[in-house]
Amino acid sequence: MSETVTRADRVRGFVRLARLKFLLYNVLPVGLGAAVAVGAGHRLDLRWYALAQVFAWVVHLMTHYCNEYFDLEADRANVYFTPWTGGSRALVDGLVDPVTSLGASFLLWTAAVLLVAAMPTWPARVLGAATVALAWFYTAPPLRFNYRALGEVTVAVILNGLWPAVAAVLIAGTVPWTLLAILAPTALLQAVRMMVMNLGDRVSDASVGKRTIPVRIGHDRSVAVICGAQVMAYAGLTGLAMAGAVPWLVWLAMACTAPLSALLVRRLLRGDMREVVAARMTPVVFLASNHVSLVVGAALAGVLLDIAVRDGFGRDVAVLTGVLAAYAALFAHRLWLARRARRHA
């Protein structure tokens, strides 16, 4: 590390490694799992709901610090990074010693394991342990899922599968079938969202032997898969609603996000990710990331509305509505900050 780096620089770099803004994303899947459990007739136990949310945050932070260490070679090779791809750059810029990032990830791994041990049932512990393992080996050896074209699916399984499932099991003791039906199209969208992220990194990833799906199949096939998945996700959602597996109010809320999907398809088909140019890629990766989050947020809103119409607006619905409102306020604030930053750039 350079001797010109001050203690304040190291502290700022350590915080930058956490990439705290992304922790906002896991509030929605955890809330969705809790809301579906409430809709299935279970009381919202705030202790277990809080445990589910803290667990998601700890695992998310662990993944960030772990990835920064094991992805350092790829991040150094990446000169076309965006605010959503290419890492935090704190290790690349020499603000933090890489071993510090690794040490932080081990501490957070320990915290995650302790939270798993605190879960009250074996199903919850099994799901929690699977979450920790998949998150750790996303980039850590020997499995290194994101180096073997498995990273995209791994992220979808955790964010749009295990996190909401843990919340549901902690509250309801089981994973309701309705939750699995709602999560299925969001998981598909999440997997191809990660393909969009990896499209931007494909040149640098290929140079260091990181074999993501876009590296393996190239730009054109990746775009075809991503665009096709948009149609499949919304068609599948509609089919599940027609079969009675997804409530119609939930379908309606989620279907309202389809214009964002169409906009993403339009940008990809016109070649915005073909040339590795950060200025063109940034709006696409921003759109892809927030599209998936908004789909999950819409699902949460739809579930809460469905419960309120059926059973009334009780305490549990009020609590989860407050969580959704807080997310919306923070998301709007982030958009405002990003817009102001662009104006002053």
Side-chain angles (χ1 to χ4, degrees), residues 1-339:
M1 186 182 299
S2 172
E3 295 181 359
T4 61
V5 177
T6 66
R7 179 178 297 179
D9 291 332
R10 288 195 291 270
V11 171
R12 284 192 291 269
F14 187 79
V15 173
R16 194 203 296 181
L17 282 170
R19 309 187 82 183
L20 294 174
K21 64 182 181 180
F22 295 114
L23 299 189
L24 186 61
Y25 290 136
N26 63 44
V27 171
L28 295 175
V30 172
L32 177 61
V36 173
V38 170
H42 299 273
R43 188 73 173 168
L44 180 64
D45 190 320
L46 295 179
R47 296 170 301 171
W48 298 126
Y49 175 54
L51 177 62
Q53 186 58 73
V54 171
F55 174 68
W57 278 332
V58 170
V59 171
H60 207 156
L61 280 172
M62 177 199 77
T63 308
H64 284 169
Y65 283 100
C66 177
N67 288 355
E68 292 280 340
Y69 179 82
F70 290 111
D71 251 357
L72 181 55
E73 184 182 8
D75 289 343
R76 281 176 172 158
N78 193 338
V79 296
Y80 306 106
F81 54 90
T82 74
W84 284 265
T85 61
S88 71
R89 319 304 292 173
L91 298 188
V92 175
D93 294 343
L95 300 178
V96 182
D97 192 316
V99 74
T100 301
S101 185
L102 181 63
S105 69
F106 276 120
L107 288 174
L108 289 161
W109 178 88
T110 302
V113 170
L114 290 174
L115 288 170
V116 171
M119 293 178 184
T121 64
W122 280 109
R125 291 175 197 142
V126 169
L127 290 173
T131 304
V132 175
L134 287 175
W136 181 263
F137 289 115
Y138 177 65
T139 51
L143 300 181
R144 309 195 84 182
F145 295 125
N146 202 32
Y147 283 69
R148 304 173 189 273
L150 294 171
E152 296 86 353
V153 174
T154 300
V155 171
V157 169
I158 295 173
L159 268 69
N160 298 75
L162 289 170
W163 275 340
V166 167
V169 169
L170 285 174
I171 294 166
T174 187
V175 181
W177 285 108
T178 300
L179 178 61
L180 296 178
I182 294 171
L183 288 174
T186 73
L188 177 58
L189 292 173
Q190 184 70 258
V192 295
R193 189 274 292 190
M194 288 305 300
M195 286 183 64
V196 175
M197 305 295 108
N198 288 333
L199 261 181
D201 294 340
R202 67 188 184 279
V203 174
S204 55
D205 285 348
S207 72
V208 298
K210 188 175 179 180
R211 307 290 289 174
T212 63
I213 292 178
V215 169
R216 285 181 178 268
I217 68 175
H219 173 273
D220 291 352
R221 289 181 180 176
S222 293
V223 167
V225 170
I226 295 165
C227 294
Q230 307 300 311
V231 177
M232 289 178 60
Y234 285 98
L237 173 65
T238 302
L240 288 166
M242 293 177 68
V246 173
W248 280 107
L249 285 174
V250 179
W251 171 86
L252 178 62
M254 296 175 71
C256 286
T257 64
L260 293 176
S261 178
L263 180 58
L264 175 63
V265 167
R266 178 175 176 271
R267 285 182 172 272
L268 289 171
L269 290 178
R270 77 180 186 184
D272 282 11
M273 297 292 287
R274 183 182 300 279
E275 300 299 327
V276 187
V277 179
R280 296 194 68 185
M281 293 191 302
T282 296
V284 182
V285 296
F286 173 83
L287 176 61
S289 291
N290 289 291
H291 167 233
V292 177
S293 292
L294 289 173
V295 171
V296 178
L300 174 54
V303 170
L304 294 174
L305 182 59
D306 185 68
I307 298 171
V309 169
R310 189 178 66 242
D311 303 324
F313 193 83
R315 185 212 68 156
D316 295 347
V317 174
V319 169
L320 293 170
T321 300
V323 170
L324 182 59
Y327 174 89
L330 289 170
F331 180 75
H333 181 63
R334 280 186 54 200
L335 288 180
W336 178 76
L337 288 176
R339 187 173 300 173

